[in-house]
Amino acid sequence: MNMSFEQKQSQLVVNLTGSFERADNPSMKEALFRLAWDVQTQRIVIHAQTLGTWDSSLVVVLYTLKKIALERGILFQSSTLPKQLNSLLDLALTVDRKPPQRNDETPDFLEVLGTIGINTCQAIGRGLIFIRDVMGALGRFFTKRVVMRSVDFWTELDNCGPKAVLIVSLISFMVGLILAFVGAIQLKTFGAQIFVASLVTIGMIRIMGAIMVGIIMAGRTGASYAATIGTMQVNEELDALKTMGIPVTDFLILPRLVTLVIAMPILVLLADFMGMLGGAFVGVLLLDIPAGEYWKYAWEAFGLTNFLVGLFHGLVFGFVIGLCGCYYGVQCGRNADSVGIATTKAVVWSIVWMIVLTGLITYLCEVIGI
Amino acid sequence: MKDTQAIIEARHVTMGYGDYVLQKDMNFTVNKHDIFIIMGGSGCGKSSLLRLLTGLNQPLKGDIFVKGINFTKADSDVQKNIMINNGILYQSGALFSSMTLAENVALPLQQYTDYSQQTIQELVSLKLALVGLAGFESFYPSEISGGMKKRAGLARALALDPEIVYFDEPSAGLDPISSKLLDDLMKNINQSLGTTLVVVTHELSSLLDIGTNGVFLDAETKTIIAQGHPKDLLKNPPNETVYEFLTRGKTEYVK
Ligand SMILES: Nc1ncnc2c1ncn2[C@@H]1O[C@H](COP(=O)(O)OP(=O)(O)O)[C@@H](O)[C@H]1O
Ligand SMILES: [Mg+2]
């Protein structure tokens, strides 16, 4: 930085020579600004007759100096600066818009607590209203008075059905495999490895099939619902729908929710089958159980009630994932960040609600004795 | 500043997507300190041309020279260097929504300079003040209006004192007053910082006011059908399309 400065009585004289490109000297600048603030300084004079090339690193020094001069009401003499530099300084110092006042106070403890309480209540209220709206839309769906494009319905069905088959198959097969392995280690000690067949079958069809499909679909489909609808919010597409008088619940949420609720039990069926296949893989190939024997035990363990409870879980999870995905999509803010937040929330809350409802269903089954 | 040194040169550039040709054999030169206007009807490839010049897309044929370097054929390090020295103002500002205005403007400074933290903050304040947003440092993009977003985007584009700044329809979506303010700002920056501006715009008053040179792309013939100072083009329109464009569809063109 080719800058020197000195205080001559009431004048602060700044000499600029040579070129200023990406010049930075924080300590020097600090000393300069301190002098500019000094009460003795009544005038700042810039000498720039031999100034070479310059960039913003010089402008920023002069800008700060001139701001200090303006604030203190002292003279800033810069007639030797290049014309463009002076006009740039003028441009920077023209205030044509003042930022609005903002409330930056940190709230006290009670206020924070109150805000959390109010927000929670509002969130519950919003959730309930959303569910009510969706139920209304479902009612219209069955009475055929709903604004929904059938092409959307089929696309969504394809997305959450056939396109999910591979991942669901793969993971359920693995889960069946793991269940069988873990069970086999324990059962072998009693010489009862044949019961691996029963263990895997009951485990998969009663609950594991549905849970695995639920988690896969929450991550795969619930997240995509939130991201798609959230991005539509960012692009003002949701606003466009509203002002056209087309309910978002009918147009966007119904095709997604209904197709997911249709697809989930079928996927659970697939998961059950693939899980049992995984179990048989371990049983027949690694534990040397004859295939016929294995299927006999598996079939004995296969209770219709267990199977139906599993499918019912799938149905409920379909609702949960569809509702959470669409809800957080609709509630999304208006920037890129909020799409990420919406997606995260959709997945996390889908899983939380699935677990809560699994507990509830299990308890109810206990009560009615199935 | 009377030197007319070429800063961007397009030589026999054909652009398009895949087999779809948008413009054939384009030749033009942008000189230092120009405010270069890219004109033409919707869909003739103005935004696409901007993407070529800024290195986001590659031409199908031909070369683009930036400061004498063959930008199209240069290796990726050289290309990146040229790209860093470009400022770009995207249509919607393209501010990062999770960052404050100050953080948005500071990002390129932190990435590509060795300035101290203090200096970066001062520079950020200066750039924001230049675009009329002094005091808005701690605001988020969602808290300011569309016109202000464009100004903030410009502040970020100017962060590294670029030699060339590209604009895609800067006045789209702005009211006449904001649009005029932005024009003044662009002229000011062009004159005081000596920055070369390349501007895609439909706004007649704006392009006649600020432009010092330009090209006119035509979608039908897929070529540049006029070049030069927009005011000269209005005075002596070389053909009917240009005349209609610059007079808002008057049709009594006589040769
Ligand atoms: N990524 C792309 N792939 C294929 N075609 C494109 C792509 N982007 C733009 N186009 C086509 O190129 C044409 C010109 O687009 P654009 O450069 O945005 O025009 P302008 O900005 O002049 O209105 C349009 O017809 C558009 O369909
Ligand atoms: Mg465009």
Side-chain angles (χ1 to χ4, degrees):
Chain A
M1 222 175 191
N2 305 314
M3 178 172 78
S4 63
F5 51 87
E6 55 181 331
Q7 201 172 20
K8 284 187 192 156
Q9 286 125 29
S10 66
Q11 281 191 10
L12 173 61
V13 180
V14 183
N15 292 301
L16 305 170
T17 53
S19 74
F20 286 75
E21 264 163 29
R22 297 268 163 104
D24 190 17
N25 187 339
S27 51
M28 193 178 197
K29 281 199 299 192
E30 203 177 315
L32 173 64
F33 298 150
R34 203 171 321 117
L35 275 186
W37 277 113
D38 196 289
V39 275
Q40 295 213 341
T41 307
Q42 288 306 316
R43 174 198 295 249
I44 299 171
V45 184
I46 312 284
H47 287 308
Q49 283 87 350
T50 54
L51 177 64
T53 53
W54 48 271
D55 66 8
S56 291
S57 59
L58 172 64
V59 184
V60 79
V61 175
L62 296 172
Y63 170 64
T64 315
L65 269 184
K66 194 163 180 180
K67 253 201 327 203
I68 296 173
L70 281 177
E71 207 168 313
R72 293 192 50 209
I74 62 177
L75 230 59
F76 182 84
Q77 241 173 312
S78 61
S79 49
T80 58
L81 282 177
K83 203 173 102 257
Q84 308 101 298
L85 227 171
N86 265 326
S87 68
L88 206 60
L89 287 178
D90 290 339
L91 183 62
L93 288 165
T94 346
V95 176
D96 56 347
R97 219 179 307 226
K98 276 232 167 66
Q101 209 65 51
R102 292 207 301 183
N103 184 8
D104 284 337
E105 286 169 38
T106 42
D108 59 26
F109 178 70
L110 264 182
E111 207 177 324
V112 172
L113 209 65
T115 316
I116 292 176
I118 292 172
N119 286 347
T120 312
C121 291
Q122 282 176 342
I124 293 172
R126 273 199 305 269
L128 289 177
I129 291 173
F130 179 75
I131 291 175
R132 187 200 64 194
D133 290 349
V134 172
M135 290 307 144
L138 263 181
R140 287 196 290 278
F141 179 72
F142 287 114
T143 52
K144 292 270 174 210
R145 280 177 29 246
V146 63
V147 196
M148 186 178 95
R149 301 187 325 146
S150 61
V151 54
D152 284 348
F153 183 88
W154 295 115
T155 325
E156 289 305 332
L157 192 61
D158 184 41
N159 273 337
C160 66
K163 289 203 172 130
V165 163
L166 215 67
I167 180 84
V168 166
S169 305
L170 182 72
I171 291 189
S172 321
F173 186 79
M174 292 305 292
V175 170
L177 211 82
I178 292 165
L179 269 181
F181 252 126
V182 176
I185 293 168
Q186 299 298 320
L187 292 169
K188 230 177 177 171
T189 51
F190 311 109
Q193 57 263 53
I194 185 64
F195 288 107
V196 161
S198 335
L199 174 90
V200 172
T201 307
I202 297 179
M204 282 312 290
I205 65 170
R206 172 94 188 197
I207 187 74
M208 281 313 281
I211 294 260
M212 288 326 292
V213 173
I215 290 176
I216 295 167
M217 295 307 277
R220 191 189 169 282
T221 306
S224 105
Y225 289 176
T228 309
I229 300 179
T231 308
M232 293 179 81
Q233 170 84 287
V234 175
N235 289 341
E236 299 179 325
E237 290 170 57
L238 293 191
D239 298 339
L241 278 178
K242 274 177 215 154
T243 48
M244 274 185 236
I246 300 174
V248 174
T249 45
D250 293 19
F251 195 74
L252 295 177
I253 297 177
L254 265 194
R256 291 178 167 76
L257 186 68
V258 173
T259 51
L260 192 60
V261 169
I262 293 172
M264 280 290 286
I266 300 173
L267 288 174
V268 172
L269 201 69
L270 173 75
D272 291 353
F273 175 71
M274 290 309 291
M276 285 164 71
L277 215 59
F281 187 79
V282 171
V284 174
L285 292 185
L286 298 177
L287 302 176
D288 291 327
I289 304 171
E293 195 82 348
Y294 187 95
W295 281 119
K296 197 178 127 236
Y297 274 82
W299 186 244
E300 269 171 19
F302 189 99
L304 189 64
T305 339
N306 283 343
F307 176 67
L308 290 180
V309 170
L311 290 193
F312 180 68
H313 273 97
L315 195 80
V316 173
F317 292 173
F319 264 107
V320 170
I321 296 167
L323 282 175
C324 283
C326 296
Y327 176 72
Y328 288 107
V330 172
Q331 293 289 324
C332 181
R334 291 184 182 274
N335 55 43
D337 240 11
S338 41
V339 177
I341 294 171
T343 319
T344 312
K345 278 189 176 168
V347 175
V348 169
W349 284 106
S350 296
I351 293 176
V352 169
W353 281 113
M354 281 196 284
I355 288 170
V356 170
L357 288 174
T358 305
L360 200 69
I361 295 172
T362 311
Y363 176 74
L364 287 178
C365 287
E366 201 79 26
V367 169
I368 56 176
I370 52 176
Chain B
M1 285 193 201
K2 278 280 169 276
D3 58 331
T4 47
Q5 202 184 334
I7 190 160
I8 307 170
E9 285 175 272
R11 292 286 162 260
H12 306 294
V13 173
T14 297
M15 68 170 177
Y17 296 93
D19 292 336
Y20 177 50
V21 173
L22 272 173
Q23 292 285 327
K24 292 177 297 202
D25 199 34
M26 288 187 287
N27 288 290
F28 60 86
T29 304
V30 180
N31 289 319
K32 243 186 177 155
H33 311 307
D34 265 351
I35 298 185
F36 189 88
I37 312 279
I38 300 173
M39 293 164 273
S42 293
C44 65
K46 301 180 299 296
S47 299
S48 304
L49 178 55
L50 217 54
R51 292 178 67 84
L52 287 194
L53 297 179
T54 52
L56 288 170
N57 284 358
Q58 293 293 316
L60 295 179
K61 273 191 229 139
D63 298 294
I64 293 164
F65 294 85
V66 178
K67 287 194 283 178
I69 300 168
N70 189 333
F71 187 30
T72 321
K73 301 229 163 72
D75 55 41
S76 59
D77 278 353
V78 178
Q79 279 193 341
K80 194 176 164 211
N81 248 325
I82 294 175
M83 283 165 96
I84 294 167
N85 278 314
N86 288 340
I88 307 173
L89 177 61
Y90 297 92
Q91 273 202 31
S92 58
L95 296 168
F96 304 119
S97 54
S98 57
M99 302 185 195
T100 61
L101 299 194
E103 287 165 344
N104 262 287
V105 180
L107 186 67
L109 290 167
Q110 282 159 346
Q111 196 67 30
Y112 297 113
T113 68
D114 320 316
Y115 288 130
S116 66
Q117 209 50 44
Q118 177 65 31
T119 307
I120 289 185
Q121 268 172 28
E122 288 167 8
L123 275 168
V124 165
S125 300
L126 169 70
K127 303 287 166 169
L128 284 174
L130 278 177
V131 299
L133 287 175
F136 282 89
E137 279 84 350
S138 64
F139 280 65
Y140 282 92
S142 56
E143 297 172 317
I144 57 175
S145 73
M148 288 155 87
K149 274 185 203 155
K150 286 213 169 142
R151 289 153 164 266
L154 182 55
R156 188 180 66 184
L158 292 174
L160 293 171
D161 294 327
E163 282 178 71
I164 315 169
V165 181
Y166 297 90
F167 298 77
D168 197 353
E169 305 200 9
S171 45
L174 295 188
D175 63 277
I177 294 168
S178 301
S179 158
K180 173 84 173 75
L181 282 172
L182 193 63
D183 282 352
D184 290 346
L185 185 59
M186 287 160 69
K187 267 201 290 197
N188 250 316
I189 283 161
N190 170 256
Q191 277 154 17
S192 52
L193 290 169
T195 316
T196 308
L197 309 183
V198 178
V199 189
V200 168
T201 183
H202 286 298
E203 193 76 19
L204 280 180
S205 53
S206 152
L207 67 89
L208 290 172
D209 179 21
I210 64 174
T212 63
N213 197 358
V215 286
F216 194 105
L217 307 184
D218 183 42
E220 234 162 83
T221 55
K222 296 188 191 295
T223 47
I224 294 176
I225 51 168
Q227 296 201 25
H229 198 299
K231 272 184 190 145
D232 294 342
L233 292 182
L234 177 64
K235 249 182 262 160
N236 302 305
N239 55 52
E240 193 161 356
T241 320
V242 175
Y243 178 77
E244 266 188 50
F245 185 91
L246 291 176
T247 54
R248 277 227 168 126
K250 280 189 196 152
T251 44
E252 67 272 22
Y253 173 69
V254 277
K255 257 215 162 96

